[in-house]
Amino acid sequence: MLLRIISIVFPIFLVVIIGVFYGRKHRPEMVAANRLNMEVFLPALIFTALAGKSFALTDNMPSIVGSLVIVIGSGLLSWPVARAMGFNPKTLVPPTMFNNVGNMGLPLMLLTFGDQALGAAVVLMLIATLLQFVLYPWMINGNSPLATVWREPFILAAALGVTVSLTGITVWPPIMTACKILGDISLGLMIFSLGVRLSTAKLNAWSIGVTGAILTPVTGMITAWIFCELVNIPRADQDILFVFGALPPAVSNFIFAERYNQEPDKVASIVMIGNVMAIVFVPLALALRL
């Protein structure tokens, strides 16, 4: 069991560490690479996963509902904790809700559960990302850009992929192959980019950083466990949702905090310490479910 857990998490953390050291030495400008990933490689991965013959929307309903419950439930659990500890809930709560399902979650679930989990993993990422685009601005300033989020390439790719899946349209195989080639670039680039981003993050607030780092996986796993106990879903879906709940805060939380000027230094600490502490919480989640 220990060897299996190590074999799952080691490749991910190794690529992150490589990204950290490369980032510290060369300070690469990742804006263009990350934009390519968000606008080309990731949409190709999403389309390939959702338009593939192995994907069925009804089979992934547990992932859709479960992700909604985990994201919102984590926020509801962490809000009173933030108030009780004297932290600004607008700073602490969003990182506990929106975890690193992109950079870390997708590769982790594929390594853990195999290619058959790609559809569920993509659905989890889509739900979490969409909720972050909609809920984060609303939580900070009461506004939500719901009308513009549908222009995001990953949403368009998801809509196209689901349409292909539901209608039974057969996409010309060479097109699917091209999308798969582009999509395969996305996973490695996401993990490496996470390392580069962490190499420049600063720890200016240890207390809120450690609190958020612990609160994110704990509230996620608690919410996932409660949902799976109350709802009768297959064991495979339960395992995927539990691992999803155990993920650390997403790097995008720092980007949103900068955009809305919501104590970005403190959010950076939460993100950095949270992803370091994933070395503990991710293997723990795997040990509990495998």
Side-chain angles (χ1 to χ4, degrees):
M1 177 65 70
L2 178 62
L3 289 176
R4 184 182 177 189
I5 292 173
I6 292 174
S7 67
I8 291 171
V9 300
F10 180 79
I12 296 173
F13 287 114
L14 179 60
V15 176
V16 171
I17 291 171
I18 292 173
V20 169
F21 280 101
Y22 189 89
R24 288 189 178 276
K25 183 176 181 180
H26 298 287
R27 303 290 182 182
E29 179 54 66
M30 297 295 293
V31 173
N34 289 332
R35 183 172 181 178
L36 277 171
N37 206 7
M38 289 298 297
E39 295 184 357
V40 179
F41 305 139
L42 183 59
L45 174 68
I46 291 171
F47 176 77
T48 303
L50 298 183
K53 294 182 179 180
S54 61
F55 178 83
L57 186 62
T58 54
D59 294 340
N60 287 277
M61 285 305 296
S63 297
I64 296 174
V65 177
S67 59
L68 288 168
V69 172
I70 292 170
V71 171
I72 297 174
S74 296
L76 293 175
L77 290 176
S78 59
W79 192 279
V81 176
R83 297 295 297 270
M85 298 188 67
F87 299 129
N88 187 341
K90 293 183 179 181
T91 301
L92 179 61
V93 173
T96 68
M97 297 173 62
F98 309 117
N99 58 19
N100 205 348
V101 66
N103 298 82
M104 187 174 293
L106 274 176
L108 176 65
M109 291 178 190
L110 287 177
L111 289 172
T112 306
F113 305 111
D115 291 340
Q116 64 271 17
L118 178 59
V122 167
V123 166
L124 292 172
M125 184 192 67
L126 283 172
I127 297 297
T129 304
L130 180 60
L131 288 175
Q132 187 174 33
F133 271 93
V134 173
L135 293 181
Y136 201 113
W138 177 77
M139 295 171 66
I140 301 302
N141 57 27
N143 297 320
S144 182
L146 187 59
T148 60
V149 70
W150 303 104
R151 303 173 188 172
E152 296 291 334
F154 73 93
I155 294 294
L156 296 176
L160 184 59
V162 170
T163 300
V164 170
S165 176
L166 292 177
T167 57
I169 297 174
T170 300
V171 181
W172 190 37
I175 293 179
M176 293 296 292
T177 301
C179 289
K180 185 178 185 306
I181 292 173
L182 291 173
D184 288 343
I185 299 172
S186 179
L187 294 177
L189 182 56
M190 281 192 289
I191 307 172
F192 182 80
S193 178
L194 171 61
V196 174
R197 169 67 71 172
L198 293 178
S199 71
T200 60
K202 298 180 180 179
L203 296 178
N204 293 335
W206 276 95
S207 58
I208 192 173
V210 173
T211 301
I214 297 174
L215 205 58
T216 302
V218 169
T219 56
M221 287 189 288
I222 289 174
T223 310
W225 178 79
I226 293 174
F227 174 77
C228 293
E229 286 293 311
L230 295 177
V231 181
N232 184 24
I233 61 175
R235 174 59 189 251
D237 292 317
Q238 294 183 29
D239 295 341
I240 290 174
L241 287 173
F242 194 81
V243 172
F244 169 72
L247 294 171
V251 178
S252 56
N253 286 297
F254 172 68
I255 298 173
F256 274 87
E258 280 190 320
R259 179 184 300 177
Y260 295 101
N261 196 28
Q262 184 59 48
E263 299 185 296
D265 290 343
K266 292 182 179 180
V267 175
S269 295
I270 295 172
V271 170
M272 184 172 185
I273 297 175
N275 280 271
V276 171
M277 293 187 68
I279 297 174
V280 175
F281 285 104
V282 168
L284 175 62
L286 294 177
L288 290 173
R289 302 306 298 186
L290 295 182

